[in-house]
Amino acid sequence: MNEAVQTSSTFTPRVFSGIQPSGGLTLGNYLGAMKRFVDMQEAGPHETVFCMVDLHAITVWQDPAKLQRATRELCAGFIAAGIDPKKSILFNQSAVAEHTQLAWIFNCVARMGWMQRMTQWKDKAGKNQQNASLGLLAYPALMAADILVYHATHVPVGEDQKQHLELTRDVAIKFNHDYDVDFFPVTEPVIEGAATRVMSLRDGSKKMSKSDPSDASRINMTDDADTIAKKIRKAKTDPEGLPSEAKGLEDRPEARNLVNIYAGLSEQSVEQVLADVGGKQFSEFKPMLSELAVEKLAPISTEMARLMQDQAEIDKILALGAGQAREIAAPILKKTYEIVGMVGA
Ligand code: AQP
């Protein structure tokens, strides 16, 4: 069992995480989240529950046909990356109504000020907060429900989700306190590895993101070998060569990002990578990185394309997963309703 999972509280260890079908999967999603989901699945024996969070995706406008395709493609991505529906529960959020039912309870537990402090809310709503959707503001309460409706104890995520997970902990603590129960676990974020925050290839101060208007800023899991090589060749760098120690990457965000990506893909530490490539110029390092990225990503994108040929099979897997998820979520929601005082729960 994964060490982080072993250090759990009195609740049975259970891992939950989700990814939004708000566009195609990026290398950031893969290294920061999906690859680590697979590690946690394989580390067993704890249950692993993974979700396509389509209700989160619609907090900003999504074209309905594209959302459907992105949800199925994300499911194909999970499976191609190594999530096995026989070992993990794999489903889409809107198929399990308990998420939104618990989210309403949490909307009434969480405070407005908590939501307004969230960096993601500020970034995504921008200067036009009055015109942003109410769902975008309430996003973290739904995320808390996604996690706590399974009594999940451990949530593997990228660095950017740390603040939302702290809010999930605050929701659990406040609920337990307000109703004088010890019902919801105080979830542990699991943020590990060399690539917990993969940055844009065009701007080392911005996160690599599915919704970045510039396609050159990210590597998509469906990019072919030539596109990957071209994007890496054009990735922003600085004129210096690579250092031999991690401290030489300080104040060099673009160089650090490419080294982190190499470390994440090759499953080495940054120090191990620099011991090999220290002293090289980017003209030498970038082709090495391209070759590694293609070697690791091509089998996944080929398998995703194959799985996407049979959408009925994907829908079958999602329906099966939703049934399994509901079996865990329904009694937890029922008990929550009883605690809150709903008649006929
Ligand atoms: N750049 C990243 N580096 C490391 N981890 C990342 N994650 C996302 N981007 C990076 C992790 O992937 C998981 C799923 O993220 P998400 O799709 O639910 O939402 P997000 O974090 O908002 O991802 P995007 O790609 O930036 O989506 P959009 O553009 O729609 O907002 C999370 O665990 C996240 O940490």
Side-chain angles (χ1 to χ4, degrees), residues 36 43 70 112 117 130 166 193 205 224 226 236 267 269 273 325:
R36 295 174 40 251
M112 284 287 286
R117 275 197 296 277
Q130 291 303 313
E166 280 160 7
S205 67
D224 62 25
D226 286 348
K236 191 175 166 201
E267 300 185 0
S269 67
V273 173

Side-chain angles (χ1 to χ4, degrees), residues 178-318:
D178 288 354
Y179 293 98
D180 195 19
V181 289
D182 185 17
F183 185 62
F184 287 114
V186 180
T187 304
E188 290 294 333
V190 186
I191 302 172
E192 288 170 347
T196 55
R197 190 169 176 82
V198 177
M199 307 308 281
S200 156
L201 298 179
R202 308 301 300 160
D203 176 352
S205 67
K206 264 171 69 183
K207 189 185 79 148
M208 183 182 284
S209 188
K210 304 181 198 88
S211 55
D212 191 314
S214 160
D215 189 59
S217 70
R218 62 179 163 262
I219 292 176
N220 304 301
M221 295 301 288
T222 48
D223 283 344
D224 62 25
D226 286 348
T227 309
I228 292 176
K230 190 169 160 208
K231 286 179 177 176
I232 293 178
R233 199 165 54 242
K234 293 198 159 177
K236 191 175 166 201
T237 46
D238 56 43
E240 287 174 52
L242 285 157
S244 304
E245 288 177 20
K247 111 169 135 359
L249 292 171
E250 275 168 25
D251 302 323
R252 299 179 62 192
E254 284 87 11
R256 189 174 58 221
N257 189 37
L258 295 188
V259 172
N260 284 350
I261 292 174
Y262 194 98
L265 286 170
S266 62
E267 300 185 0
Q268 297 179 87
S269 67
V270 167
E271 288 72 18
Q272 283 169 322
V273 173
L274 291 178
D276 282 346
V277 304
K280 287 193 195 301
Q281 296 300 313
F282 281 104
S283 54
E284 226 182 318
F285 179 63
K286 282 181 169 180
M288 288 172 66
L289 179 58
S290 298
E291 198 183 322
L292 177 66
V294 170
E295 179 197 319
K296 298 289 179 182
L297 304 185
I300 300 176
S301 63
T302 306
E303 181 60 3
M304 278 172 78
R306 192 191 68 76
L307 290 164
M308 282 297 279
Q309 301 292 316
D310 191 351
Q311 297 197 350
E313 182 59 22
I314 292 182
D315 291 358
K316 213 165 99 187
I317 291 168
L318 288 175

Side-chain angles (χ1 to χ4, degrees), residues 17-34 36-37 53 56-57 60 62 74 120 124 139 143 155-162 164 195-200 206-212 218 257:
S17 201
I19 298 188
Q20 298 184 75
S22 46
L25 271 173
T26 70
L27 180 66
N29 299 135
Y30 176 65
L31 290 177
M34 207 172 256
R36 295 174 40 251
F37 300 170
V53 286
H56 280 287
V60 296
Q62 303 292 334
L74 180 53
Q120 182 174 294
K124 287 203 171 175
Y139 182 116
M143 180 164 158
V155 183
V157 282
E159 182 71 40
D160 61 312
Q161 291 298 330
K162 193 169 175 219
H164 285 165
T196 55
R197 190 169 176 82
V198 177
M199 307 308 281
S200 156
K206 264 171 69 183
K207 189 185 79 148
M208 183 182 284
S209 188
K210 304 181 198 88
S211 55
D212 191 314
R218 62 179 163 262
N257 189 37

